[in-house]
Amino acid sequence: MKPMTLGLRAACAALLAASAFAGLPALAQPAKPTVVIVATGGTIAGAGASALNSATYQAAKVPVDKLIAGVPELASVANVRGEQAFQIASESFTNDKLVALGKRVSALLKDSEVNGVVVTHGTDTLEETAYFLNLVIKSDKPIVVVGSMRPGSAMSADGMLNLYNAVVVAASPSAKGKGVLVTMADDILSGRDAAKRVNIKTSAFGSQWGPLGMVVEGKTFWFRSLAKRHTVNSEFDIDTIDALPDVSIVYGSGSMNMALYDAAATPGVKAIINAGTGNGSVPNYAVDKLKSIRDKGVLVIRSSRVADGIVLRNAEQPDDKYDWVVAHDLNPQKAKILAAVALTKPQTTAELQRIFWEY
Ligand code: DAS
């Protein structure tokens, strides 16, 4: 009998191996994580008349199930299901919608079957919602807020990949405990300091402190973590918040009209964010107005209209003397969110200043 050739021997070995496993159950594939997409509207759900309409379109038109169907690759990343919380352009977000969204996200993350949540959102106030959730959701599971600068109907639309990246991050165990995240244009930003820095490009979002990481071809790469308190380390809890107090922003410039402050400090307003020039400066002719507002029990918080930097306490303005608070590195809209969340409980000026330094 002719000796078996190498090839025949290999074929027999393969057959033996296959038959040996034939009786065993197929190697169990790890269960895919479950990610819930909570849709609120925005450009990522927008529709324009033609592929050339990258900036002329209607936001908040496409329902969440169509968004998911538009990115079939999501199915390889996670078991994905969608909910339509709202269908609005995000400039129309209100405090009651923020609270309702926060409560829904919190409830979803309490479900042991849910590994992460993605919130699709307009880009105009995405930074406020992301920071709000970062302050009040008591979970270390990934929460990713995502939008797009072009509608899905436009040439080179950015929404599909932004959404895919958001689901990848929300499904990633490595994203746990990092606070609320924002995935835009391949960056993974912290919800705390992500901001819309350009109002018409796909590279619109950034942070003066840089991204936390990147997501590329379905993989996450991390380079730093947030140094501030958030989510499970926050003293604030959406489950104990039913409404947010009114906080106004007054935008600083040369030759300001003092009536703006009167209009901002209407009854019920708990704090005014002064978006001052430079390092949060207050014109000499406005100091008495702000002191009188403070005397009425309204808190005065100095932020800056300048995008980057930190507003220093007692630098050009005697904050101790006037009993004012500084917003640290927070832009005026983020300062408004933090002040509103903080003032769901009574705060002394010193307590509020601590909160602005810790969050
Ligand atoms: N109006 C904008 C919004 O809904 C559109 C967008 O960029 O998402 O925030």
Side-chain angles (χ1 to χ4, degrees):
M1 192 174 125
K2 276 193 350 184
M4 274 206 281
T5 63
L6 263 183
L8 185 57
R9 194 177 301 162
C12 291
L15 270 175
L16 275 174
S19 61
F21 284 109
L24 296 176
L27 288 178
Q29 293 297 318
K32 275 191 289 191
T34 295
V35 171
V36 181
I37 297 178
V38 180
T40 71
T43 293
I44 196 166
S50 85
L52 293 178
N53 288 128
S54 59
T56 306
Y57 56 84
Q58 285 202 300
K61 289 294 171 201
V62 179
V64 63
D65 291 340
K66 276 191 80 176
L67 291 180
I68 295 170
V71 189
E73 293 79 4
L74 294 178
S76 65
V77 175
N79 297 315
V80 175
R81 70 170 191 266
E83 297 187 356
Q84 194 77 44
F86 314 115
Q87 186 67 292
I88 58 173
S90 72
E91 62 269 23
S92 303
F93 247 81
T94 50
N95 283 346
D96 58 329
K97 286 185 165 56
L98 269 183
V99 170
L101 177 64
K103 289 184 181 298
R104 184 58 189 150
V105 170
S106 175
L108 283 168
L109 292 173
K110 287 187 172 84
D111 178 345
S112 60
E113 298 294 311
V114 173
N115 297 85
V117 167
V118 168
V119 175
T120 59
H121 196 288
T123 59
D124 285 9
T125 63
L126 188 150
E127 63 204 81
E128 285 108 304
T129 298
Y131 189 33
F132 173 71
L133 298 174
N134 197 56
L135 292 168
V136 301
I137 305 292
K138 308 297 282 183
S139 172
D140 66 352
K141 292 180 181 177
I143 304 165
V144 185
V145 187
V146 65
S148 73
M149 294 300 292
R150 295 174 180 154
S153 49
M155 201 184 299
S156 302
D158 54 333
M160 286 173 66
L161 183 57
N162 284 354
L163 180 59
Y164 176 79
N165 288 346
V167 172
V168 164
V169 173
S172 304
S174 64
K176 284 189 77 170
K178 288 188 164 61
V180 171
L181 302 167
V182 174
T183 56
M184 294 291 285
D186 303 332
D187 281 336
I188 306 175
L189 299 161
S190 167
R192 176 190 183 272
D193 37 67
K196 189 174 187 179
R197 300 166 70 90
V198 181
N199 63 14
I200 201 161
K201 291 168 67 174
T202 52
S203 57
F205 277 75
S207 159
Q208 67 170 323
W209 310 121
L212 300 181
M214 284 193 78
V215 45
V216 182
E217 294 188 345
K219 294 183 183 63
T220 57
F221 300 90
W222 302 100
F223 302 101
R224 65 182 185 87
S225 293
L226 183 59
K228 300 293 186 179
R229 295 175 66 178
H230 59 77
T231 57
V232 293
N233 295 319
S234 170
E235 63 202 88
F236 307 108
D237 181 349
I238 188 63
D239 292 345
T240 65
I241 295 173
D242 291 319
L244 293 175
D246 278 345
V247 175
S248 301
I249 298 176
V250 175
Y251 194 88
S253 68
S255 188
M256 289 183 67
N257 179 343
M258 289 303 101
L260 287 174
Y261 288 110
D262 297 322
T266 50
V269 168
K270 289 281 180 62
I272 283 187
I273 310 295
N274 195 66
T277 53
N279 198 257
S281 304
V282 174
N284 54 16
Y285 55 84
V287 170
D288 286 344
K289 173 62 76 178
L290 279 177
K291 283 166 69 178
S292 70
I293 286 171
R294 183 71 194 98
D295 291 344
K296 290 178 192 153
V298 176
L299 285 144
V300 173
I301 299 159
R302 291 196 303 114
S303 176
S304 172
R305 72 181 197 179
V306 178
D308 294 347
I310 53 178
V311 175
L312 286 175
R313 186 170 179 82
N314 295 323
E316 282 190 70
Q317 311 286 331
D319 298 293
D320 288 354
K321 178 179 168 192
Y322 297 152
D323 201 30
W324 293 348
V325 172
V326 292
H328 204 30
D329 67 322
L330 294 177
N331 66 28
Q333 53 271 31
K334 298 253 190 188
K336 172 175 173 171
I337 290 290
L338 181 54
V341 168
L343 294 169
T344 55
K345 306 177 189 176
Q347 305 289 357
T348 64
T349 305
E351 276 293 300
L352 189 60
Q353 184 62 77
R354 170 191 63 80
I355 289 166
F356 268 85
W357 276 325
E358 290 183 0
Y359 291 86

